[in-house]
């Protein structure tokens, strides 16, 4: 599981791209903990979906928007198969987000496992 830390200014967006496995029945879900009002998450689309070959992995893109300065949130993405909720996720990704005011926005991204 990868953990990434980012700092966003209020109103600033961050695009997160995750490998999809929709042809195998997997979808990405997410849960926000911490200051859930500090961020908004939405799926913005998939790359190459129209040209993908059957069974090919298609990248999914999610936008994380900083909303409330001073907030910290943890977003846990899990790749699961909805018909089988008892199964462990195929993959997981954690994004730790700190939201600062727009005037003091400093963007930092660090990764680790």
């Amino acid at each position: 599981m990868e953990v990434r830390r980012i700092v966003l200014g209020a109103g600033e967006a961050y695009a997160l791209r995750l490998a999809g496995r929709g042809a195998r029945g997997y979808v990405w879900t997410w849960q926000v903990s911490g200051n859930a009002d500090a961020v908004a998450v939405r799926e913005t689309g998939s790359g190459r979906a129209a040209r993908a070959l059957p069974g090919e992995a298609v990248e999914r893109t999610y936008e994380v928007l900083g909303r409330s300065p001073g907030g910290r949130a943890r977003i846990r993405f899990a790749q699961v198969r909805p018909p089988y909720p008892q199964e462990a996720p195929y993959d997981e990704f954690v994004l730790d987000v700190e939201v600062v005011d727009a005037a003091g926005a400093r963007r930092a991204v660090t990764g680790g496992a």
Side-chain angles (χ1 to χ4, degrees), residues 1-111:
M1 170 177 34
E2 182 179 347
V3 177
R4 187 176 301 168
R5 291 169 178 76
I6 63 170
V7 177
L8 293 175
E12 184 178 10
Y14 176 77
L16 176 64
R17 292 171 184 80
L18 298 171
R21 288 181 172 71
R24 296 184 184 127
Y26 289 93
V27 298
W28 283 102
T29 61
W30 65 87
Q31 292 181 314
V32 181
S33 60
N35 302 111
D37 292 338
V39 297
V41 182
R42 70 181 181 107
E43 185 172 1
T44 58
S46 61
R48 295 183 19 103
R51 300 182 313 264
L53 298 173
E56 182 179 7
V58 176
E59 188 174 78
R60 309 304 296 184
T61 304
Y62 300 88
E63 180 182 76
V64 178
L65 178 66
R67 295 178 59 190
S68 300
R72 291 178 184 265
R74 172 169 271 204
I75 307 165
R76 179 184 168 267
F77 290 87
Q79 197 171 39
V80 298
R81 292 194 302 173
Y84 306 100
Q86 72 282 3
E87 285 185 1
Y90 180 84
D91 198 4
E92 293 180 283
F93 184 91
V94 173
L95 188 63
D96 286 330
V97 183
E98 176 184 359
V99 182
V100 297
D101 64 32
R106 62 192 193 288
R107 186 168 187 154
V109 177
T110 59

